Amino acid sequence: MKLNFTSLAYFKKAAEMEHLTKAAEALHIAQPALSRTIRGLEEELNVTLFEKEGRSIRLTRDGHILLKYAERFLADYDGLQQELKDPRDLQQMTVTLSILSATKLIPAFLAEFKKANPSVMVEIVNPNMPMAHKMPDLTLYSSTNHIENSHTVTLFRESLVMVLPRTDRHANLPYVNLADFRDRNYIAPSKGFVLRDILDTYCKKAGFSPKIVMESDNPGTIHEFVNAGLGIALVPQMTWYAAFQNLAALPVGDQDCHRYLNLSWKTEGRLSLTAVLLREFIVDHFWEYVREKANSEFPMG
């Protein structure tokens, strides 16, 4: 956890309310997330910021020092946000985001960001229609490998599961082996999509090439095809949870099938303040949002 707008705002709220649970409720985040933020600040600064008093918390000497600077910093930030409300600065208020993965979950997640930053405009860029050859500020996408460089960070590693109709004879197994499904029909994205590359790679390791009978990169469409008994599919377990709620979703036992979800940002020019805010929000909270959303609405067992 690095010092940033979000972490300082969370720290300030905890200091004001002197209670982690109440502060988390006021911030509309989970209490463990707030605790991790505070621990991250303490580790980065090598200090103790709070001491416990029963169920309450109190600032230490170092905590009071950080609060003094955090209040100044956040006050300047609030002033900047007020200036950004001027219609003449609309461009500075707008963040462009290209979504190549997790398309079903990101809209509700962005709504949480808007609650905390109502003046920021988030423009979703269609990757198939370049915006006057201008690169988006941020891009959310998946890959077969972990990525970490000056303009990209891997958000989390996600397992893949095999989805089958509940009437399939394998539906009640605790897991499946990919090698046992060499003769089945598969529903998958077309070539060039990361999920298709992942399927081809794991099937090759199992000794066969998948028989693709229908192609789609839309989770809902793949769900309907599988539910109709037209084929099976290898899909992300967490970010696609809503796409197989009435299907059997089984882990793969003979291979560690997974993908990585990443966030990158443009390398040309400097990111605007609003783009940095959204980047920090996604990095700090998207994995926790995905995990809690999936587990609450469709427990993985």
Side-chain angles (χ1 to χ4, degrees):
M1 169 65 65
K2 299 295 184 182
L3 275 169
N4 54 44
F5 297 114
T6 303
S7 62
L8 288 177
Y10 287 5
F11 162 73
K12 181 173 179 287
K13 180 60 69 174
E16 290 171 348
M17 304 198 74
E18 297 185 333
H19 197 286
L20 287 178
T21 301
K22 293 179 180 179
E25 291 175 353
L27 291 165
H28 304 291
I29 63 172
Q31 190 269 330
L34 178 57
S35 296
R36 285 195 297 272
T37 298
I38 299 300
R39 285 198 303 272
L41 287 173
E42 291 179 328
E43 290 171 1
E44 183 174 353
L45 298 172
N46 194 28
V47 298
T48 299
L49 298 174
F50 293 100
E51 55 188 16
K52 291 185 178 180
E53 290 188 3
R55 294 186 178 182
S56 300
I57 55 175
R58 296 288 185 272
L59 284 171
T60 62
R61 172 185 173 277
D62 292 326
H64 280 289
I65 293 174
L66 178 59
L67 180 61
K68 178 177 64 175
Y69 284 94
E71 287 175 337
R72 293 177 185 173
F73 187 74
L74 292 171
D76 288 341
Y77 165 60
D78 288 341
L80 179 58
Q81 278 198 315
Q82 289 299 318
E83 291 187 27
L84 289 177
K85 289 182 179 179
D86 190 323
R88 293 172 299 178
D89 295 319
L90 183 61
Q91 185 174 359
Q92 289 296 316
M93 295 165 54
T94 302
V95 188
T96 53
L97 172 65
S98 178
I99 306 171
L100 305 181
S101 294
T103 54
K104 295 296 184 181
L105 286 178
I106 198 69
F109 177 75
L110 291 177
E112 295 298 315
F113 173 75
K114 284 285 291 180
K115 289 179 183 177
N117 302 275
S119 63
V120 175
M121 304 288 290
V122 181
E123 179 181 349
I124 306 302
V125 178
N126 187 332
N128 298 319
M129 297 180 65
M131 187 180 56
H133 306 289
K134 181 181 178 182
M135 291 292 294
D137 294 316
L138 307 173
T139 301
L140 188 67
Y141 70 101
S142 61
S143 67
T144 56
N145 301 308
H146 182 278
I147 300 176
E148 205 80 38
N149 55 45
S150 61
H151 61 276
T152 306
V153 62
T154 289
L155 300 173
F156 57 86
R157 179 182 185 274
E158 179 177 23
S159 295
L160 305 180
V161 292
M162 186 73 77
V163 289
L164 316 160
R166 290 196 179 276
T167 55
D168 191 283
R169 61 189 179 90
H170 299 92
N172 294 319
L173 295 175
Y175 64 89
V176 296
N177 292 323
L178 197 58
D180 296 335
F181 289 77
R182 64 176 62 245
D183 297 324
R184 298 292 294 269
N185 295 332
Y186 283 83
I187 315 296
S190 58
K191 285 189 176 295
F193 284 85
V194 172
L195 278 180
R196 175 62 176 273
D197 294 340
I198 291 174
L199 174 65
D200 290 342
T201 297
Y202 287 127
C203 287
K204 183 177 180 180
K205 289 181 180 179
F208 69 99
S209 295
K211 180 183 177 183
I212 309 298
V213 295
M214 291 185 176
E215 293 182 334
S216 174
D217 65 325
N218 183 286
T221 301
I222 292 178
H223 167 273
E224 293 303 320
F225 286 158
V226 173
N227 194 45
L230 299 176
I232 61 177
L234 191 67
V235 303
Q237 182 184 34
M238 303 297 282
T239 52
W240 280 37
Y241 74 92
F244 49 80
Q245 291 196 21
N246 62 336
L247 300 174
L250 306 177
V252 178
D254 56 347
Q255 293 193 57
D256 180 14
C257 297
H258 61 271
R259 72 167 182 175
Y260 293 91
L261 203 68
N262 315 290
L263 181 69
S264 66
W265 46 95
K266 66 180 182 180
T267 56
E268 297 179 1
R270 296 182 61 182
L271 283 178
S272 66
L273 173 62
T274 49
V276 171
L277 283 173
L278 180 56
R279 181 183 68 185
E280 291 177 354
F281 191 81
I282 293 174
V283 170
D284 289 345
H285 301 295
F286 190 54
W287 165 235
E288 181 180 346
Y289 176 84
V290 169
R291 182 178 56 193
E292 291 183 356
K293 191 77 171 175
N295 286 337
S296 64
E297 296 192 19
F298 190 63
M300 297 299 167

